[in-house]
Amino acid sequence: MTITAKQIESDVLAMGDPDIAQQSQRFFKTGKGEYGEGDIFVGIRVPSLRKLVLQYKGVELEELGKLQQCQYHEIRLLALFILVKKYQSAKTESEQTMLVDFYLDHLTWVNNWDLVDSSAHHILGHYLLNRDKSMLYQFAESDDLWTRRVAVISTLAFIKKQNFEPTMKLATMLLNDQEDLMHKACGWMLREIFRHDREVLDTYLNAHYQQMPRTMLRYAIEKHESEIRKMYLQGLI
């Protein structure tokens, strides 16, 4: 039986909880002037959504695209979970390329931090592991917050393969970014470098920490010893 977007949307909406939806709309800052302004939530926790992936992983891309453009946040998130599963199950490079193109074509609807963080490194980051990464530097110059975040979070795939340079280059490009969510994203990725090579991170921090937004620095040094953190925050390194 063909799986349709309409069927999936109906199934997901039936699972919604108004109380959870209200909590989510506060948590994801959907008020006027906030980063998630106007987003609508059904009220479903992430573990419940993830359980649906195997059930719907066979949905065709045309129908998945309809889900990706849905007004409901959790349905867009489910669509991304399914897309990640499809990408990870792809048997050929051409199939991966098709799925990456689909991701990029629908990037407009990857429009909150959890949507970015659940997909960027799994799809775009993995695809660019051994390819030209100039797309990410172009993304970092975008006026769109979520496009810039996709650039940074994609580098998690590189970090896991001991390639730290793209993360540090992007963090430097975004030192003067005005969005706190970007400070958090850059700091988080820099902290991930710590897990693999502290010396590389410390060398980068020593050169740039005095120019870093406070949030970026706090995230980046979170795993350092207490005394070292204090020295960075007091400008004593």
Side-chain angles (χ1 to χ4, degrees):
M1 177 183 289
T2 301
I3 304 170
T4 67
K6 186 175 181 180
Q7 171 195 338
I8 295 174
E9 183 173 338
S10 177
D11 291 347
V12 173
L13 289 175
M15 297 170 59
D17 182 318
D19 291 333
I20 295 175
Q22 192 172 49
Q23 294 168 16
S24 296
Q25 289 186 198
R26 288 195 299 269
F27 182 73
F28 286 97
K29 307 295 184 185
T30 61
K32 186 173 177 58
E34 295 181 310
Y35 63 74
E37 180 178 350
D39 208 352
I40 301 172
F41 285 77
V42 179
I44 305 174
R45 303 294 190 198
V46 168
S48 297
L49 282 178
R50 288 194 180 278
K51 289 178 181 177
L52 299 176
V53 174
L54 290 180
Q55 181 178 344
Y56 299 130
K57 67 177 182 178
V59 65
E60 298 293 337
L61 284 185
E62 182 179 354
E63 296 299 305
L64 193 62
K66 296 174 185 177
L67 295 176
Q68 191 64 74
Q69 298 175 56
C70 183
Q71 65 176 324
Y72 297 107
H73 184 103
E74 292 95 334
I75 292 176
R76 299 199 304 281
L77 182 57
L78 174 60
L80 288 167
F81 287 159
I82 294 171
L83 186 62
V84 168
K85 182 67 174 177
K86 283 180 176 293
Y87 180 85
Q88 292 174 338
S89 302
K91 298 290 193 291
T92 65
E93 183 175 331
S94 61
E95 188 178 354
Q96 287 185 333
T97 299
M98 177 184 67
L99 294 168
V100 169
D101 287 344
F102 176 93
Y103 182 67
L104 294 174
D105 287 345
H106 293 80
L107 206 59
T108 297
W109 296 280
V110 183
N111 56 355
N112 213 314
W113 60 263
D114 61 323
L115 304 177
V116 173
D117 298 358
S118 298
S119 61
H121 62 293
H122 291 302
I123 300 174
L124 186 58
H126 182 274
Y127 186 74
L128 295 178
L129 275 173
N130 299 308
R131 292 181 170 87
D132 178 68
K133 298 169 176 55
S134 58
M135 176 191 300
L136 299 184
Y137 307 128
Q138 293 170 12
F139 280 10
E141 296 177 342
S142 171
D143 291 335
D144 180 66
L145 163 62
W146 308 120
T147 301
R148 299 198 305 278
R149 190 170 175 106
V150 164
V152 173
I153 301 302
S154 290
T155 70
L156 181 56
F158 314 151
I159 293 169
K160 291 178 178 180
K161 296 296 184 180
Q162 311 296 313
N163 181 4
F164 312 126
E165 189 61 34
T167 303
M168 295 186 292
K169 181 175 179 177
L170 286 166
T172 303
M173 290 176 65
L174 293 162
L175 282 173
N176 296 317
D177 199 283
Q178 298 302 304
E179 295 286 351
D180 194 55
L181 280 170
M182 289 308 303
H183 304 165
K184 291 177 179 179
C186 291
W188 170 23
M189 291 301 101
L190 291 171
R191 187 178 72 226
E192 289 298 317
I193 293 176
F194 179 96
R195 299 177 185 274
H196 297 269
D197 194 324
R198 175 174 179 162
E199 184 177 351
V200 168
L201 176 59
D202 285 350
T203 299
Y204 178 82
L205 288 175
N206 293 347
H208 297 284
Y209 82 95
Q210 290 182 321
Q211 291 79 46
M212 280 186 180
R214 203 69 165 175
T215 298
M216 187 189 298
L217 178 59
R218 286 186 181 277
Y219 270 60
I221 63 176
E222 192 175 76
K223 298 299 181 181
H224 283 69
E225 298 84 358
S226 175
E227 287 305 311
I228 299 297
R229 293 200 305 271
K230 289 179 182 176
M231 291 175 68
Y232 272 118
L233 291 171
Q234 293 171 6
L236 300 176
I237 296 294

